[in-house]
Amino acid sequence: MEVAHRPRVDGKFLEVDGRRLLIKGVAYGTFAPNHDGAQFRSTERIEQDFVLMAAAGINTVRTYTPPSPALLDAALRHGLGVMVGLAWPQHIPFLDDRKLTRNIIRDAVTTVREIAAHPAALLFALGNEIPAGIVRWHGHRRIERFLRELYEDVKAAAPDSLLTYVNFPPTEHLELDAFDVFAYNVYLHRETELRGYLARLQHLAGTRPLLLAEAGADSLREGLEGQALITATHIRTAFAEGACGAVAYSWTDEWWRGGRTVDDWAFGLVDEARQAKPALAAVREAFAGAAFPASERASWPKVSVVVCAYNAADTLADCLTSLGELTYPDMEVIVVNDGSRDATGDIARRHFHVRVLNLPNGGLSAARNAGLAAATGEIIAYTDADVRVDPDWLTYLVQPFLNSDVAGVGGPNVVPADDPWVSQCVARAPGGPIHVMLDDRIAEHVPGCNMAFRREALLAADGFNPVYVRAGDDVDICWRLQAKQLEIGFAPSALVWHHRRPSVRSFWCQQVGYGEGEAWLDAHHPEKFLGGQMLWRGRIYSPLPFLRTSAARRVNTGVWGTAAFPSVYSTHSHGWRYLPHSPAWMGVSLVLLLVGVFGPLAGMDAAWLPLIAGMLGWATTLTRCALCGWRSNLDGLPTIGHWSMWQSRVLYRSLIAWLHLLQPLARFRGRLRGLSRPQAVAPKHMTRHPWKLQLPTLRDVIAGARLLTRAGTERSFWSDSGVSHTMLLTELVGVLRASRPARIVDVDEGWRPDRDLSLAIGRWGWLHVRTVVEEHEQGACLFRMRARLRPSFVGTLRGLTLAVLGAGGMSASMFLYEPSVTLFVSALAIAAVGARATWQAIRGAALLDQAVIRVSTAAGLQRLPISAAVETKVAPALRPSAETAVSEFGD
């Protein structure tokens, strides 16, 4: 590799001179300082080392201190790039000394400015493994602010250089969004553990390249063959998981650190005399096979790429050109021209590698089904006509199919850097296509612009539902496959560039279409909605400030911060964060504002109260939108026209804030339009449980009311043979979600020890359910269920609002001519709302009671009255256990 021009980030990878660069690196040093203080060996030794490196297929040298011009020149002669490390006192509390902090940044700027112009300088590491104790001492936010300041100052001095900070697992919780490359030192010797951790790092990296900056093993402890096996496994795994490169640690056993020679570790691929270890040959072979050897590619399945296009003349040529550059060995491209009225069909036919299907306009799902019917591949991959795919898109999209039994796979999508400024703002507004992850491998939803499915899985699901003519088809198919107990995988390196809408009007139309699709999704999957809002079980990965506020981060660093792999948890924030963005909030605020303005004209004395309330409501909404615009990441965006950089930033943030205000209104408009077309929602493809619960009878209602009281909050069921606790809960959830009207069931995934699942009671509260299966003698078991009614956040807010309105109405009645009538109306309204909430609670409890009985009976369990359980059938089985407990533990 000859580094002649500046490298740049190309999606999840690096590119030099228009060619993809996979970093195949080795760590070099640190060595004992020579006579001039440089921590490198002699020029002759460097030449010898670089000759051996180039022969081993290595193309990058990672240093830990700034290299001399001679070393850079030698690297260039041998076709090696240099990952330049900057050394500074990071192992002490450096932020306590302001002068030291300023010197660190100043020295880094000076060093990078001096080296950046050299053609061998590939990448700059502005730091390496700040110790967990130092991060704990200063607090992670101070460290993050310092690293961002360091990045910004160095980037200003060398804007064309790629910058990274090399992190490691003990400080995984550091947010390093500013850096160009996401680099990590990881030493996990088991391949399964390393794969799992790299999958996690890919999500932390987002759409940036992931670099395994150190990997290897100690030959003293693992043996020479063990070192070779582990190091080669690290490298192969990194490339298989979509990393942009891997750096073997280290070149030689010669290692100097902390003022002394280190002789109790031997991580080198060669020893101090430069005699090769088996690890060198293993690394050479691993680098030669990066990312996937030809022998593997020959057995990969055929993929049919389906592009659905409607009036896509502006972007289709770019899409098809990128598909023609794919590196996948066996594929076909099918363009479904969905009744376009422009030159879409003509553009598609100009690409000879494409098969074109011309159809009358039938909508997105119908076009996807037509592509499925015409496809001949085992895997059907879908993308949109306004997408440009990465050359290795299919290569990585197919990997989860090869390594697991997932039914579908998706990948990330990002806005192209060359999109116009309005599109860049749209990309930073809510409502765009994003993926939702259940864990690091399995997705709950993948966007339609980047998804693939096994052909037989789509056919078994009867394809896409034609009702979704504009949007919602991707969500629907993911949910229907999951209802069949199938899983959707995720490939973080299968990246596509997705053009966003180029105008505010087109953004509005898009969001209206999404809202329409949501209305139909609500009809087909009512168990996935609560009060018209989608309930995602997984985590939404997005850098948008609006979406990042939906999750709070908790870090468990172990006792006294000693955890080698701290646990970073993500929890959902309270719903009040979204209230100011909701159409209901905006509508109520507007009504209060109008009442306050026109109230005095109607003789209203206290009109200033609703006026202030309305003004506060709208002020909160506008402030929240402005904050989302202000906090949006604008790094790398160019100036707009003749505007200055400062003026451009103001324009960017203003439009982003405006889009945050428009988006929920457009979705609301779309939902209304969707609700106005009920004939479009057919029962086909509805995910229903085969059992249908009957409408509750009077007996059921009485049982439900009793279940809500303390005396009746428990149900017990007995079986002479064991039953599966998981099976009972799974069936219970399915029955509850299949009820009419459908019920929202929130399944706990380990965060709340006091419940197994929760049943929504309207929007007022939740019925929390906890269960246990007791194991008794001779294989018998007792299944017990408890339920507790608790108000929800929205229910509490509604109750407070109702109380305030009631108090206000009663107060206002004192100033009116007919106070008794007003008082009566207010009391009647409050009583009606309270009665409705009580009825919903009783009906929900009755439904739960009926479902528990149905599931338990089907599993062979017999219902027992709680009061008589111990005295009747269960008591004899429990007595021996009780007697044993007394004999062991005493009275």
Side-chain angles (χ1 to χ4, degrees), residues 24 56 283-291 293:
K24 305 173 183 179
V283 167
R284 179 191 300 116
E285 182 179 353
F287 280 151

Side-chain angles (χ1 to χ4, degrees), residues 697-772:
T697 63
L698 178 61
R699 182 179 178 182
D700 294 328
V701 171
I702 295 174
R706 195 166 176 271
L707 186 62
L708 295 177
T709 65
R710 180 170 294 277
T713 55
E714 184 171 316
R715 295 287 184 268
S716 296
F717 301 85
W718 176 262
S719 175
D720 293 325
S721 59
V723 295
S724 168
H725 187 221
T726 301
M727 182 273 292
L728 288 173
L729 287 177
T730 301
E731 287 297 309
L732 181 59
V733 170
V735 172
L736 290 173
R737 287 177 173 171
S739 61
R740 299 291 183 91
R743 298 286 175 168
I744 303 302
V745 182
D746 178 49
V747 178
D748 177 63
E749 297 181 349
W751 296 102
R752 305 176 185 90
D754 63 334
R755 72 198 70 164
D756 294 317
L757 56 94
S758 300
L759 178 67
I761 304 299
R763 298 198 70 185
W764 293 95
W766 292 92
L767 200 58
H768 298 317
V769 180
R770 191 195 323 198
T771 62
V772 65

Side-chain angles (χ1 to χ4, degrees), residues 394-629:
L394 277 188
T395 297
Y396 288 104
L397 194 65
V398 166
Q399 296 309 307
F401 290 116
L402 304 178
N403 301 323
S404 66
D405 58 354
V406 295
V409 178
N413 69 99
V414 297
V415 60
D418 56 356
D419 260 14
W421 76 276
V422 174
S423 298
Q424 299 292 346
C425 293
V426 169
R428 289 156 175 82
I434 52 178
H435 51 277
V436 183
M437 301 299 300
L438 294 171
D439 57 35
D440 293 331
R441 296 282 191 191
I442 302 301
E444 183 179 5
H445 164 251
V446 291
C449 61
N450 188 2
M451 62 183 185
F453 302 95
R454 296 186 191 273
R455 177 184 176 85
E456 62 269 21
L458 283 181
L459 293 176
D462 201 18
F464 294 85
N465 191 340
V467 68
Y468 298 100
V469 295
R470 277 177 288 274
D473 59 305
D474 48 0
V475 181
D476 174 70
I477 192 65
C478 288
W479 282 348
R480 286 197 285 118
L481 290 174
Q482 289 161 3
K484 295 177 177 291
Q485 307 304 313
L486 300 176
E487 292 183 328
I488 309 296
F490 189 76
S493 293
L495 183 140
V496 302
W497 287 269
H498 188 197
H499 296 285
R500 299 311 201 261
R501 295 298 187 267
S503 68
V504 175
R505 178 180 176 81
S506 59
F507 172 75
W508 171 273
C509 294
Q510 178 198 43
Q511 295 304 311
V512 169
Y514 285 174
E516 187 178 66
E518 280 184 5
W520 299 337
L521 285 169
D522 195 349
H524 286 125
H525 307 274
E527 73 281 0
K528 298 287 189 179
F529 286 78
L530 177 60
Q533 297 298 317
M534 283 190 187
L535 292 180
W536 295 111
R537 291 173 52 214
R539 174 180 175 182
I540 299 175
Y541 282 85
S542 173
L544 300 183
F546 177 76
L547 293 172
R548 294 184 74 164
T549 57
S550 67
R553 298 171 73 247
R554 292 188 298 167
V555 181
N556 182 352
T557 58
V559 179
W560 305 319
T562 57
F565 288 78
S567 301
V568 182
Y569 301 105
S570 177
T571 59
H572 292 289
S573 299
H574 291 292
W576 64 267
R577 292 180 179 271
Y578 287 111
L579 278 178
H581 297 278
S582 66
W585 176 286
M586 299 181 196
V588 170
S589 299
L590 181 60
V591 170
L592 291 173
L593 198 62
L594 294 176
V595 169
V597 171
F598 296 104
L601 300 178
M604 187 174 181
D605 295 332
W608 59 272
L609 285 174
L611 178 64
I612 292 177
M615 292 176 63
L616 286 176
W618 273 105
T620 303
T621 298
L622 296 176
T623 300
R624 293 275 302 177
C625 293
L627 285 175
C628 289

Side-chain angles (χ1 to χ4, degrees), residues 80 234 316 339 491 506 871:
L80 301 174
H234 284 175
L316 183 61
S506 59
E871 298 299 329

Side-chain angles (χ1 to χ4, degrees), residues 284-348:
R284 179 191 300 116
E285 182 179 353
F287 280 151
F292 302 98
S295 57
E296 284 187 26
R297 290 174 172 267
S299 61
W300 288 355
K302 181 178 181 180
V303 178
S304 298
V305 180
V306 177
V307 182
C308 300
Y310 174 71
N311 291 343
D314 293 340
T315 58
L316 183 61
D318 187 31
C319 173
L320 298 182
T321 299
S322 68
L323 289 173
E325 297 171 352
L326 286 171
T327 59
Y328 195 81
D330 189 6
M331 55 167 284
E332 65 175 352
V333 179
I334 301 172
V335 174
V336 182
N337 180 19
D338 186 27
S340 300
R341 297 188 299 271
D342 60 5
T344 295
D346 296 333
I347 293 172

Side-chain angles (χ1 to χ4, degrees), residues 649-721:
R649 291 297 185 263
V650 171
L651 196 53
Y652 276 122
R653 299 190 191 282
S654 299
L655 181 55
I656 293 171
W658 175 241
L659 295 176
H660 275 79
L661 182 65
L662 287 183
Q663 189 267 344
L665 299 176
R667 287 288 181 99
F668 181 67
R669 169 71 179 88
R671 287 186 65 85
L672 291 178
R673 192 168 74 177
L675 293 173
S676 68
R677 297 174 56 193
Q679 70 279 5
V681 182
K684 182 182 180 182
H685 299 140
M686 298 184 74
T687 55
R688 296 290 191 188
H689 194 278
W691 292 348
K692 294 182 180 180
L693 299 179
Q694 304 298 321
L695 291 175
T697 63
L698 178 61
R699 182 179 178 182
D700 294 328
V701 171
I702 295 174
R706 195 166 176 271
L707 186 62
L708 295 177
T709 65
R710 180 170 294 277
T713 55
E714 184 171 316
R715 295 287 184 268
S716 296
F717 301 85
W718 176 262
S719 175
D720 293 325
S721 59

